[in-house]
Amino acid sequence: MIPNTLDTPGGPLSRPAPDWWREAVVYQVYVPSFADADGDGIGDLRGITDRLDHLAGLGVDALWLTPFYPSPWTDAGYDVSDYRGVDPRHGTLDDFRHLVRRAHGLGLKVIVDVVPNHCSDQHPWFAEALASPPGSAARDRFIFREGRGPDGSLPPADWKSKFGGGAWTRVPDGQWYMHIFSAEQPDLNWENSDVLADFEGILRFWLDLGADGFRVDVAHGLRKDLVEPLRDTGGRDSASLNSPTEGEDHPFWDRDEVHEIYRAWRKIIDSYAPARITVAEAGVSAARLPLYTRPDELHQAFNFFHLRCPWDAEEFRKVIDTSLSGARAVGTLPTWVLSNHDVVRHRTRYSLPQGIDYRAWLSGGGTDPAPDDALGHRRARAAALLTLALPGSAYLYQGEELGLPEVFDLPDDALRDPMWERTGRTTRGRDGCRIPLPWTRSGSSHGFGPGGSWLPQPDGWGEYAVDAQTGRPDSFLELYRTALSVRTRFRGDESFAWLPARDGELAFRKGRFECRINLSETPLPLPDGAVLLASDSLEGNMLAPDTAVWTAVTGG
Ligand code: GLC
């Protein structure tokens, strides 16, 4: 008998190890912007510890902490100068130990970010490489090459940086080094044994401190085709490309050799108990993504196809089918992701016409066209129920439970994303999805901390605050709380089947509950079934456009 009440508590995972992660809800904490205990305007580990009750009360199973390691902050922490420490702006190693202890006490797992593709140019290895001659062992940990042309003044290949401009920077003695991202983020050479050994040590360091796993940054970029002469890519601008085109033999994206690294890592991960996990950030094709989650490699990979899916029933159906079959082929389940710290927040994406280039829209000032926020609001709520109903694990980005929109009108001088300067101030970058969270309607930085906030919070931000939404039945926060609580009842039964649906509707059964979502422009009658939760009010037993509903399977 499925109870038709909403009284199931959320919180700690009931699912036992070793596969706790298969259907976990993981909450992404973007450390600089979650909570600031020391008042310097930048989020820190103590701030997170102080707010863990919010996460436990929300009903998530794990948190993923974005980088908090010592860093000059060219890329807000994704430029690491010491992989075994905590940046003073985020706290201390003791703060990390305390956070893990407290999280574990609340039944929450803690996943940390590992950034293996590149380090900071302030990392001691890079300083040593610069001080050492061409051809030295210290340079071999990076990708240094002679330039082209009679005086070597042309880069060794035409590779482009993902942040704009070229992927090569020249050093005073004339050699060039490679960086997929900013010049302050030199790529490591994953054919070098020091690099391999050091990262194995780094994984063990955090596992020994109690981390429950790793999110692997740029997992598809580590291995490069370094056979001489280096191959050009045809000058394509990789700022707009996450991945090679299907079937392409690209010199640095998604090379087969990268999997050797994850097979070695998996052995380390599996030597720890209770079970730890890894999740790949790999912008590769749907056909190639499952390769990263083969049984002896990483556990999960972010599903960016779901994130990028247009608001269209057929498109969602294709993404869901492909994701499920791809993951099942390697014995796992997909992840489902709507937002993260690198993309325009989904409430805002859904408020814009289909097919728009969000980054171009943002760079044009976010007004052409003007977002239809009421539409984005409805769709984001419906998308949450869709996402949380699918078999697999869901990754939530901090603030989506508050329905935060993208802040698209930050003043130019507030922008911190390196993309802004590297593109000659033409691409506004990712700051608008990274605005510090509002916890309280009023007070300094809306409860983010006792000081200011490193990115300005816009007027009206307090209306999204946790305290402003708590107890308001129609709020985003209460929708997420209820959804996560109901979801725990259906976790573990991974069976999935499409149900007959009308044009523009998605309907499926997962275990003993059903989800329907109306992506058409007309209301659709609701079938029988005890309603567990709806993303908006159901009037006259109709499912309005841009609305989703969960029902319990009756009888049987
Ligand atoms: C990943 C991160 C992004 C960062 C980049 C370089 O894509 O998510 O924020 O800028 O890697 O480390």
Side-chain angles (χ1 to χ4, degrees), residues 69-75 77 79-81 87 89 120-122 184:
Y69 316 113
S71 162
W73 249 49
T74 294
D75 188 17
D79 47 322
V80 181
S81 53
D87 193 289
R89 58 166 77 78
S120 158
D121 64 348
Q122 305 298 307
E184 293 82 2

Side-chain angles (χ1 to χ4, degrees), residues 75 78 118 163 181 215 217-218 281 341-342 430 434:
D75 188 17
Y78 280 96
H118 47 269
F163 285 166
F181 297 92
R215 175 259 189 194
D217 190 58
V218 201
E281 182 211 29
H341 65 293
D342 292 328
R430 303 159 294 177
R434 300 174 172 181

Side-chain angles (χ1 to χ4, degrees), residues 212-244:
D212 296 288
F214 299 94
R215 175 259 189 194
V216 184
D217 190 58
V218 201
H220 59 313
L222 274 50
R223 285 295 296 264
K224 280 87 184 174
D225 181 3
L226 298 176
V227 174
E228 298 287 349
L230 298 180
R231 289 187 285 128
D232 282 344
T233 56
R236 279 184 314 146
D237 178 7
S238 57
S240 59
L241 283 180
N242 256 332
S243 53

Side-chain angles (χ1 to χ4, degrees), residues 9 226 330 339 438 481:
L226 298 176
V330 289
S339 275
R481 283 181 175 149

Side-chain angles (χ1 to χ4, degrees), residues 2-9 482 485-486 489-490 530-533 552:
I2 306 285
N4 186 21
T5 56
L6 302 180
D7 57 1
T8 312
T482 310
S485 161
V486 174
R489 281 199 246 154
F490 303 101
V531 171
L532 297 168
L533 185 60

